[in-house]
Amino acid sequence: MVKNIWQVPYGTTRIEFNVAYSSRKTLGISVYPNAEVQVVAPYETKPAQIEEKIMKKAAWISRQIRRFKSIEADRITRKIEYVPGETFYLLGRKYRLKYIPDTLEIIRIEGRCLVVRGKTRPGPEKMERLISNWYRAQAKMIILERWERHHHILRKEKFSAHRISIRSMKHRWGSCTENGSISFNVALVQKPVQCIDYVIVHELCHLKYMDHGKGFYRMLGKYMGDWERRKARLESSMH
């Protein structure tokens, strides 16, 4: 993807930020957990106005970047042991892992628990495989169902996707190639439905616009007027 990266000096460092233009009335600044600073500005905004706004918000931007880097460090150091009592998420809701002896071998949501049933309690390695397979199955079912709900965009814009896949991705929630193949991160199923829908529409727009230029944001705003709120929720926390 092509990004429009700007820089402004701040103390002994520099603040880098990505600029995109849209039909919105005011200039907005967002800071995301990967330390990316995103500015979305009205089409007529002059470069000097954008830089002035960044300088006014520089202290806040720096604090947000430090906070997100701290969250990321905690995430990296947190080790999932796949033992009963640990927390797992589905569609933004929190569930505690629980094992129940049973003649049937199954994993499913029961109340506020993610319950693993079986004759013997799985060890950590098997538990990890069971939960990973369960997440993949949930992601395939839920994300593809949400995709169908937005299929009208393809018909209206008169284009199509070459292939849809669900896979593990380290740094993206979704991706779109130039030949029209779209992939969604299996971990997306842990997020609320409105966040899943945002990623779907975002990638749909990339079928027509591969960059994050004016055309892309115009189309995104056309089909999802509150996309900025959804994106902020998606990126503001781990779940």
Side-chain angles (χ1 to χ4, degrees):
M1 302 293 180
V2 177
K3 289 190 175 183
N4 186 14
I5 303 295
W6 297 22
Q7 292 184 345
V8 295
Y10 179 64
T12 58
T13 63
R14 303 181 71 82
I15 294 176
E16 289 190 351
F17 55 98
N18 182 44
V19 178
Y21 295 91
S22 76
S23 58
R24 61 176 293 157
K25 302 294 185 182
T26 59
L27 186 149
I29 301 173
S30 300
V31 183
Y32 300 109
N34 61 357
E36 178 179 306
V37 181
Q38 173 74 60
V39 175
V40 181
Y43 291 123
E44 68 276 7
T45 308
K46 296 179 181 179
Q49 292 175 301
I50 294 175
E51 292 181 358
E52 181 182 4
K53 186 73 171 182
I54 286 288
M55 292 307 298
K56 286 183 178 179
K57 302 285 289 184
W60 173 81
I61 292 170
S62 295
R63 287 196 303 272
Q64 291 296 95
I65 290 174
R66 289 196 300 271
R67 182 170 73 87
F68 285 133
K69 284 184 176 179
S70 176
I71 292 173
E72 177 65 9
D74 290 342
R75 185 191 69 81
I76 292 172
T77 56
R78 175 178 176 258
K79 179 176 173 57
I80 300 176
E81 297 180 348
Y82 292 94
V83 295
E86 283 190 305
T87 298
F88 293 89
Y89 290 80
L90 181 69
L91 298 179
R93 295 181 179 178
K94 182 168 64 175
Y95 298 91
R96 293 289 181 184
L97 181 61
K98 183 178 182 179
Y99 166 71
I100 298 178
D102 201 321
T103 55
L104 296 175
E105 293 187 348
I106 192 171
I107 176 171
R108 63 189 180 190
I109 297 294
E110 296 183 19
R112 300 303 298 174
C113 293
L114 174 58
V115 177
V116 175
R117 291 177 175 269
K119 295 179 181 179
T120 59
R121 174 175 159 178
E125 290 186 4
K126 184 177 180 180
M127 188 72 84
E128 180 179 3
R129 289 196 301 272
L130 288 171
I131 292 175
S132 295
N133 291 338
W134 178 79
Y135 267 131
R136 191 171 296 277
Q138 295 297 312
K140 184 175 182 180
M141 177 179 63
I142 293 170
I143 295 175
L144 293 183
E145 189 273 334
R146 301 309 299 180
W147 168 269
E148 289 300 321
R149 288 175 178 264
H150 296 87
H151 202 263
H152 65 281
I153 298 175
L154 296 176
R155 294 194 299 270
K156 191 167 185 178
E157 296 291 334
K158 297 181 179 179
F159 55 71
S160 61
H162 173 67
R163 182 171 63 92
I164 306 298
S165 63
I166 310 294
R167 61 188 179 89
S168 297
M169 304 170 75
K170 288 185 177 180
H171 304 295
R172 294 183 177 183
W173 294 114
S175 67
C176 179
T177 65
E178 291 185 357
N179 71 354
S181 294
I182 292 180
S183 297
F184 296 107
N185 192 333
V186 65
L188 185 60
V189 78
Q190 298 178 40
K191 297 290 187 174
V193 170
Q194 56 264 46
C195 297
I196 296 174
D197 287 351
Y198 160 71
V199 175
I200 289 173
V201 176
H202 183 107
E203 300 306 330
L204 275 173
C205 292
H206 278 315
L207 288 171
K208 189 170 184 178
Y209 302 99
M210 287 302 295
D211 62 5
H212 288 115
K214 294 180 180 179
F216 171 85
Y217 283 106
R218 188 180 299 114
M219 182 176 173
L220 182 58
K222 175 182 177 182
Y223 291 107
M224 185 167 281
D226 64 342
W227 68 267
E228 290 174 276
R229 180 184 62 80
R230 293 172 185 247
K231 181 177 181 180
R233 182 171 185 185
L234 174 68
E235 302 290 3
S236 65
S237 64
M238 289 300 298
H239 299 284

